[in-house]
Amino acid sequence: MQSILENIAKHVTLTPEEQELFLSKTETKQFKAKTILLSAGEVATCTYFVNSGILRSFNINDNIIEHVLHFACEGWWIGDMYSYISGKPGNLFIEVLEDSEVVIITKENQQQLYQEIPKLERFFRILAENSLVAHQERLMDNLSLTAEERFEKFCSKYPSLIQKIPQKHIASYIGVTPEFFSKMKARLLKK
Amino acid sequence: MQSILENIAKHVTLTPEEQELFLSKTETKQFKAKTILLSAGEVATCTYFVNSGILRSFNINDNIIEHVLHFACEGWWIGDMYSYISGKPGNLFIEVLEDSEVVIITKENQQQLYQEIPKLERFFRILAENSLVAHQERLMDNLSLTAEERFEKFCSKYPSLIQKIPQKHIASYIGVTPEFFSKMKARLLKK
DNA sequence: AAGAGTACTTAACCTAGATTAAGAAATTAT
DNA sequence: ATAATTTCTTAATCTAGGTTAAGTACTCTT
């Protein structure tokens, strides 16, 4: 299990005191599968780091169709960045897919931490930049690759997820219906 | 015309000396339309801020099909973030669409500025976060909206661009072929 | 002003993926 | 264990948007 301090240490070096301070501004909680941590229409006041388990963020279109924005497994961050930084109601849900342990940072605490440990500005800058790059790549993939190619990329990027989550979520992530995904999978198995 | 200092002032406050220092680490250049500032396969060593004019970033698929990632008009930043932060060759082109004036910051200078003016970590964090939110929204739009709806969103988001750039670039940005875009536009005009 | 390139349109035909519907398999709850 | 719910599969039919191709209208050069 990768701790949040190890995650931070990938990009910036905190002193033991700073580490202590950081942890004191976080809260670690266990959640059962199917728990909804955030619903569309609410203002996101927290960011989440996954110690163990799996979360996903998604929105719901026309009150029917879900679209998965992001999966977060062990060692990943997740949240509704739009709502979090704007303070406005968002349109994302954040759901626990597997019993999980999650580190929670409130916006208020994060703002304080930025004052007290300026190095964290750098850390979260780097985090945002990396996430931006990942989203840019996914966007371009959606414009230029077939569903099959996107699925292959998904498999190599999230090999551990494939066995663990309902495949309808994977279909949603790569941008096809569950029915088409099923057909495509059958086609791939024949090869 | 919005200057780069005004752009920074939207999120952090620099002293006059810091402003001076910042500007000393930048270079402002004029470019003619059609100039390529960065090609796929090169390592991006700079980030660009548009004083006036229009730039775009795009990639080329199978050596044939272009996909526009981003347009940058007056007051916008543009670059190949992947290549810039990884130091590896990227797959984006950055092209000048209209005679433009561009502020250039090298990675080296940006790193120095982070040391000398830590507030800039915050500025670029906020910039990356905002950009991330925009990309997340565009990604979800591509998953859930029709081409027509994406075009409408494009129009309200970039009203000034529509008259200024070849419409094939708009087609590429919203993710359809120029032929389909033309057909769709004709259909919209009938309404 | 003529020519060359680039951008746009139109139309016929095609296909990846959506929709609808029904049944089968796997989970979950009791 | 069994019922209830959720997930997955299969198949027929449909459609948004792609492809190909040809013609038209712009821009740029020179």
Side-chain angles (χ1 to χ4, degrees):
Chain A
M1 190 180 96
Q2 195 204 42
S3 78
I4 198 167
L5 292 176
E6 289 165 35
N7 188 264
I8 292 173
K10 282 182 180 176
H11 299 300
V12 299
T13 307
L14 299 188
T15 65
E17 297 76 40
E18 287 168 340
Q19 293 186 9
E20 200 53 48
L21 176 61
F22 180 86
L23 288 180
S24 76
K25 304 269 185 181
T26 69
E27 192 180 2
T28 301
K29 279 192 180 171
Q30 319 283 140
F31 294 103
K32 301 226 99 181
K34 296 192 181 170
T35 310
I36 300 289
L37 300 188
L38 179 74
S39 289
E42 296 175 0
V43 174
T45 56
C46 305
T47 293
Y48 308 96
F49 175 86
V50 181
N51 267 345
S52 66
I54 306 172
L55 312 198
R56 69 165 176 142
S57 61
F58 63 100
N59 72 11
I60 297 185
N61 220 239
D62 303 322
N63 294 318
I64 304 177
I65 302 165
E66 292 181 5
H67 289 282
V68 174
L69 175 60
H70 191 55
F71 293 111
C73 325
E74 209 175 302
W76 290 74
W77 295 81
I78 193 167
D80 180 342
M81 179 67 90
Y82 165 74
S83 175
Y84 189 76
I85 67 180
S86 70
K88 296 177 189 164
N91 43 36
L92 289 183
F93 294 80
I94 295 180
E95 182 196 25
V96 179
L97 291 181
E98 243 185 20
D99 294 2
S100 299
E101 184 177 276
V102 176
V103 181
I104 301 171
I105 307 180
T106 65
K107 187 171 176 175
E108 201 181 355
N109 281 343
Q110 185 162 19
Q111 298 297 344
Q112 286 173 26
L113 282 166
Y114 283 143
Q115 300 302 132
E116 293 160 345
I117 313 175
K119 264 176 286 187
L120 288 176
E121 294 271 7
R122 168 169 299 202
F123 173 72
F124 284 105
R125 170 179 64 79
I126 292 169
L127 208 61
E129 285 173 352
N130 287 337
S131 184
L132 175 57
V133 166
H135 280 80
Q136 286 184 343
E137 185 181 346
R138 190 170 158 212
L139 187 58
M140 295 309 253
D141 285 350
N142 278 323
L143 292 178
S144 58
L145 303 183
T146 63
E148 214 168 295
E149 290 166 329
R150 276 176 271 144
F151 177 49
E152 276 163 21
K153 269 204 150 186
F154 180 89
C155 291
S156 51
K157 202 166 178 182
Y158 298 99
S160 66
L161 271 186
I162 297 157
Q163 282 70 273
K164 290 186 188 163
I165 63 178
Q167 77 180 25
K168 63 174 184 169
H169 293 334
I170 301 175
S172 169
Y173 182 93
I174 69 171
V176 296
T177 60
E179 294 84 359
F180 181 75
F181 187 86
S182 184
K183 187 161 81 176
M184 184 178 79
K185 212 182 66 174
R187 199 169 58 210
L188 283 173
L189 285 174
K190 277 188 200 153
K191 290 183 186 172
Chain B
M1 190 180 95
Q2 195 205 40
S3 76
I4 198 166
L5 292 176
E6 288 165 34
N7 188 263
I8 293 173
K10 282 183 179 175
H11 300 300
V12 299
T13 306
L14 299 189
T15 66
E17 296 76 41
E18 286 169 339
Q19 293 187 8
E20 198 54 46
L21 176 60
F22 181 86
L23 289 181
S24 77
K25 303 269 185 180
T26 70
E27 190 180 3
T28 302
K29 277 193 182 173
Q30 320 283 139
F31 294 104
K32 302 226 100 183
K34 297 190 182 173
T35 309
I36 301 289
L37 299 188
L38 179 74
S39 289
E42 296 176 0
V43 174
T45 56
C46 306
T47 293
Y48 308 96
F49 175 86
V50 181
N51 266 345
S52 66
I54 307 173
L55 311 198
R56 69 166 176 140
S57 61
F58 63 100
N59 73 10
I60 297 184
N61 220 240
D62 304 323
N63 294 316
I64 303 176
I65 302 164
E66 292 181 5
H67 289 282
V68 173
L69 174 60
H70 190 55
F71 294 110
C73 327
E74 210 175 301
W76 290 73
W77 294 81
I78 193 169
D80 179 341
M81 179 68 90
Y82 165 74
S83 175
Y84 189 76
I85 68 181
S86 71
K88 295 175 189 164
N91 42 38
L92 290 183
F93 293 81
I94 296 180
E95 182 196 25
V96 179
L97 291 181
E98 242 185 19
D99 294 0
S100 299
E101 185 179 274
V102 176
V103 181
I104 301 171
I105 307 181
T106 64
K107 186 171 177 177
E108 200 182 357
N109 281 342
Q110 186 163 17
Q111 299 296 345
Q112 287 174 24
L113 282 166
Y114 283 143
Q115 301 302 130
E116 293 160 346
I117 314 175
K119 264 175 288 187
L120 288 176
E121 295 270 7
R122 166 166 301 200
F123 173 71
F124 284 104
R125 171 180 64 79
I126 293 170
L127 208 63
E129 285 173 352
N130 287 337
S131 184
L132 175 56
V133 165
H135 280 81
Q136 286 184 343
E137 184 181 346
R138 191 171 157 210
L139 187 56
M140 295 309 252
D141 286 350
N142 278 323
L143 292 178
S144 58
L145 304 182
T146 63
E148 214 168 296
E149 291 166 328
R150 275 176 272 143
F151 177 48
E152 277 163 20
K153 269 205 153 186
F154 181 89
C155 290
S156 51
K157 203 165 176 182
Y158 298 99
S160 67
L161 270 186
I162 298 158
Q163 282 68 273
K164 289 185 189 164
I165 63 178
Q167 77 178 28
K168 62 173 186 169
H169 293 334
I170 301 175
S172 169
Y173 182 92
I174 70 171
V176 296
T177 59
E179 294 85 357
F180 181 76
F181 187 87
S182 185
K183 187 160 79 177
M184 184 178 77
K185 212 181 66 174
R187 199 168 60 211
L188 284 172
L189 285 175
K190 276 190 199 151
K191 290 182 184 171

